[in-house]
């Protein structure tokens, strides 16, 4: 375990209600490939965020934290071999009543398409990814999420692509990359090892 873990462990003891600290320690465990410990801490972080969102004065930006933490937790559960826990998480994510925020929808869609049959109805992550792309049609992260969601939904190259320019290309991108979904999410977990700091570069990357 890296040198920062003891400091983070002291932090969660002093401030057990800080989702930032639980998330950071979970990421720290992930850097050491301690997937089970990382998943446990990320789950705690998600529980705290979910509780905060139930309050009337919850800040709107907290929804992004909720979705990103859920995506990270999904990756860690799969890496830890907990497929049952992963599918339970996905069912919870797609059944939660959430506001329409493109970045959040993208994260939830990605979380629920990292493995086959993650949810009973693949139309839910597909709908979320589709919404995200409509809001940001040139954001690569959204486009990739849509391609994977279409693949999971079993859509063929023709069909809906007819009335959506570039979606055929998006679907092909998703078909090529769906096998690496867990690896992509895992890299996201590993690079998010900071106190609630999120990498926004993917939102600014355009589809070429």
């Amino acid at each position: 375990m890296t040198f920062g873990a003891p400091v983070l462990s002291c932090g969660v003891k002093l401030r057990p209600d800080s989702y930032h600290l639980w998330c950071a320690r979970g990421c720290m465990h992930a850097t050491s490939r301690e997937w089970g410990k990382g998943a446990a801490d990320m789950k705690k972080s998600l529980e705290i965020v979910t509780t905060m969102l139930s309050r009337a004065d919850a800040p709107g930006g907290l929804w992004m934290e909720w979705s990103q933490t859920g995506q990270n937790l999904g990756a860690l559960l799969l890496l830890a071999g907990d497929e049952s826990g992963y599918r339970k998480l996905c069912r919870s994510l797609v059944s939660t009543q959430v506001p329409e925020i493109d970045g959040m929808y993208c994260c939830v869609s990605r979380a629920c398409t990292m493995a086959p049959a993650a949810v009973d109805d693949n139309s839910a992550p597909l709908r979320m990814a589709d919404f995200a792309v409509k809001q940001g049609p040139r954001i690569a992260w959204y486009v990739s999420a849509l391609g994977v969601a279409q693949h999971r939904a079993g859509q063929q190259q023709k069909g809906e692509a007819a009335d959506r320019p570039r979606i055929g290309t998006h679907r092909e991108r998703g078909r090529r990359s769906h096998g690496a979904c867990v690896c992509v999410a895992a890299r996201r977990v590993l690079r998010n090892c900071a106190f609630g700091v999120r990498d926004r570069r993917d939102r600014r990357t355009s589809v070429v």
Side-chain angles (χ1 to χ4, degrees):
M1 189 177 296
T2 58
F3 69 92
V7 176
L8 292 171
S9 294
C10 290
V12 296
K13 289 181 180 179
L14 293 171
R15 295 188 57 191
D17 60 342
S18 172
Y19 70 89
H20 291 298
L21 291 173
W22 286 101
C23 179
R25 196 176 72 168
C27 289
M28 197 66 69
H29 285 308
T31 63
S32 300
R33 304 299 192 266
E34 296 178 296
W35 311 124
K37 291 182 179 180
D41 281 356
M42 203 65 67
K43 181 179 179 181
K44 180 64 176 180
S45 178
L46 183 61
E47 290 173 351
I48 294 172
V49 173
T50 302
T51 300
M52 292 173 66
L53 283 170
S54 66
R55 301 169 185 167
D57 59 346
L62 200 58
W63 280 110
M64 276 302 300
E65 297 290 342
W66 173 82
S67 63
Q68 290 174 333
T69 304
Q71 181 183 349
N72 290 342
L73 175 57
L76 287 169
L77 287 170
L78 285 175
L79 289 167
D82 187 359
E83 294 188 8
S84 175
Y86 167 69
R87 288 182 170 80
K88 181 179 179 180
L89 168 69
C90 290
R91 289 195 298 271
S92 175
L93 292 176
V94 298
S95 64
T96 301
Q97 295 296 317
V98 299
E100 291 187 332
I101 303 172
D102 51 342
M104 181 193 64
Y105 268 26
C106 178
C107 286
V108 173
S109 177
R110 278 189 168 277
C112 298
T113 54
M114 287 190 285
V119 291
D120 296 331
D121 183 5
N122 282 314
S123 67
L126 176 59
R127 173 180 55 82
M128 290 182 167
D130 186 63
F131 174 85
V133 168
K134 286 178 179 177
Q135 302 304 307
R138 294 189 61 80
I139 298 178
W141 192 247
Y142 295 179
V143 173
S144 177
L146 179 58
V148 175
Q150 287 175 323
H151 176 85
R152 293 298 187 207
Q155 291 189 2
Q156 301 302 314
Q157 190 163 0
K158 297 181 180 180
E160 289 190 51
D163 64 347
R164 289 195 181 94
R166 301 163 60 87
I167 293 301
T169 301
H170 302 169
R171 181 180 293 108
E172 183 60 31
R173 181 192 301 265
R175 187 185 290 101
R176 292 197 304 268
S177 66
H178 81 280
C181 283
V182 175
C183 293
V184 171
R187 286 198 298 270
R188 182 178 180 83
V189 170
L190 297 179
R191 73 169 183 252
N192 280 350
C193 294
F195 291 90
V197 176
R198 305 297 183 180
D199 188 346
R200 304 294 185 183
R201 288 176 298 176
D202 49 290
R203 289 181 55 87
R204 297 195 298 271
T205 304
S206 296
V207 178
V208 178

